[in-house]
């Protein structure tokens, strides 16, 4: 979760607006897509935060890049831009996703593995770990990390469940060496 009070306020405002218009699901899908786009293209965030590019061009960029998004989302992006808070966009997105998932009994999780997990494996991990953290379901992002050697590491918020071979070997090493 972000430590920014501004990001939290913007996220709460967007969530309340989406909730009042019964469009939480659609807005959440749009925000998730924006998060994905920003994650894939780091240059986009640099471009949006650049003082050399006029706000009018940035607004046009929003209209072009996120043309299929809900109007609520486009308006929120433009307000964030107009208020000089575009650098807070990743934190706002993170806060919003947390609010939306909490409202639906879900949570975000990151599963680290040595290979890409199948849909069935992800579903089983979601079912197992959702119960452990008191949620109905987990929205999982699978991150490939060859240094794990095998097994998985699941991170849900601040909780980390680590059953990787690398961790088990390190634990054995500490036991043997003292």
């Amino acid at each position: 979760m972000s430590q920014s009070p501004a990001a939290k306020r913007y996220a709460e405002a967007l969530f309340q607006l989406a909730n009042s218009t019964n469009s939480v699901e659609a807005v959440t899908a749009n925000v998730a897509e924006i998060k994905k786009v920003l994650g894939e293209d780091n240059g986009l965030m640099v471009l949006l935060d650049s003082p050399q590019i006029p706000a009018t061009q940035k607004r046009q960029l929003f209209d072009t890049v996120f043309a299929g998004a809900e109007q609520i989302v486009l308006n929120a992006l433009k307000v964030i831009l107009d208020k000089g808070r575009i650098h807070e966009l990743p934190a706002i997105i993170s806060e919003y996703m947390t609010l939306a998932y909490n409202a639906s009994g879900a949570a975000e999780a990151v599963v680290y593995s040595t290979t890409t997990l199948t849909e069935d494996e992800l579903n089983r991990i979601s079912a197992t770990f959702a119960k452990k953290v008191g949620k109905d379901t987990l929205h999982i992002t699978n991150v490939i990390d060859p240094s794990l050697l095998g097994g998985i590491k699941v991170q849900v918020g601040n909780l980390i469940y680590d059953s990787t071979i690398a961790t088990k070997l390190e634990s054995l090493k500490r036991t043997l060496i003292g």
Side-chain angles (χ1 to χ4, degrees):
M1 267 239 232
S2 164
Q3 298 298 315
S4 167
K8 190 170 181 73
R9 284 193 308 269
Y10 280 99
E12 287 172 350
L14 179 58
F15 181 75
Q16 288 173 2
L17 184 59
N19 201 23
S20 69
T21 59
N22 294 320
S23 58
V24 172
E25 195 172 308
V27 169
T28 301
N30 287 170
V31 171
E33 190 62 30
I34 292 169
K35 179 180 179 179
K36 182 179 173 187
V37 168
L38 291 177
E40 291 173 354
D41 186 3
N42 192 29
L44 180 59
M45 198 59 218
V46 171
L47 182 76
L48 291 172
D49 203 22
S50 173
Q52 279 77 31
I53 299 171
T56 54
Q57 285 183 326
K58 293 176 186 177
R59 290 169 139 266
Q60 290 171 345
L61 183 65
F62 285 145
D63 290 333
T64 304
V65 174
F66 304 117
E70 295 287 316
Q71 193 60 46
I72 293 171
V73 175
L74 285 173
N75 290 345
L77 289 171
K78 291 173 184 176
V79 167
I80 293 165
L81 176 67
D82 293 344
K83 296 295 183 182
R85 295 287 187 171
I86 201 66
H87 63 279
E88 300 259 12
L89 187 57
I92 294 168
I93 289 171
S94 178
E95 289 284 350
Y96 176 86
M97 296 304 286
T98 299
L99 289 169
Y101 287 156
N102 283 340
S104 67
E108 282 188 287
V110 179
V111 176
Y112 300 90
S113 62
T114 56
T115 61
T116 303
L117 299 174
T118 67
E119 201 62 37
D120 182 51
E121 290 169 328
L122 291 173
N123 289 337
R124 286 187 286 146
I125 291 168
S126 175
T128 301
F129 287 96
K131 291 176 189 170
K132 290 184 183 223
V133 296
K135 298 292 181 182
D136 297 330
T137 186
L138 296 178
H139 296 277
I140 296 177
T141 302
N142 186 199
V143 175
I144 309 305
D145 184 356
S147 70
L148 300 178
L149 303 177
I152 62 168
K153 179 168 63 171
V154 179
Q155 180 177 356
V156 183
N158 294 334
L159 301 172
I160 297 176
Y161 301 91
D162 192 341
S163 66
T164 61
I165 292 174
T167 300
K168 290 177 182 179
L169 287 173
E170 185 60 35
S171 175
L172 180 61
K173 178 182 169 184
R174 279 193 303 257
T175 303
L176 292 173
I177 294 175

